[in-house]
Amino acid sequence: MRETIVTPHGLVDVDPDTVELGELVVTDEGSELEIVGLDPLRFELAPEEEEDWGE
C-alpha cells in the first residue's frame, strides 16, 4: 500500500513494504532522497553525483 510521507524536503509517495535500503526517491519538490532506514523509514538528501571525466 503506497503512502505519502512528509519530509523536510517535500512529499514522497512510496510503498514502505517494497522499498529497499539505499533506494533513491524524488519528492514532489524535486529533491532526491536516499532511503537510509527501513524501520522506521528514514530519508536523507542523496549525495550529488560528481562529473565523471572518464578517469
Side-chain angles (χ1 to χ4, degrees), residues 1-48:
M1 174 187 286
R2 294 191 78 78
E3 294 181 23
T4 300
I5 299 171
V6 178
T7 75
H9 306 286
L11 301 174
V12 176
D13 186 36
V14 296
D15 183 345
D17 296 327
T18 62
V19 294
E20 296 180 12
L21 198 59
E23 185 175 337
L24 298 178
V25 295
V26 178
T27 70
D28 65 333
E29 296 178 9
S31 297
E32 194 170 68
L33 303 178
E34 180 178 358
I35 297 174
V36 296
L38 297 175
D39 189 21
L41 195 54
R42 292 190 347 254
F43 305 91
E44 287 184 5
L45 278 174
E48 298 239 355

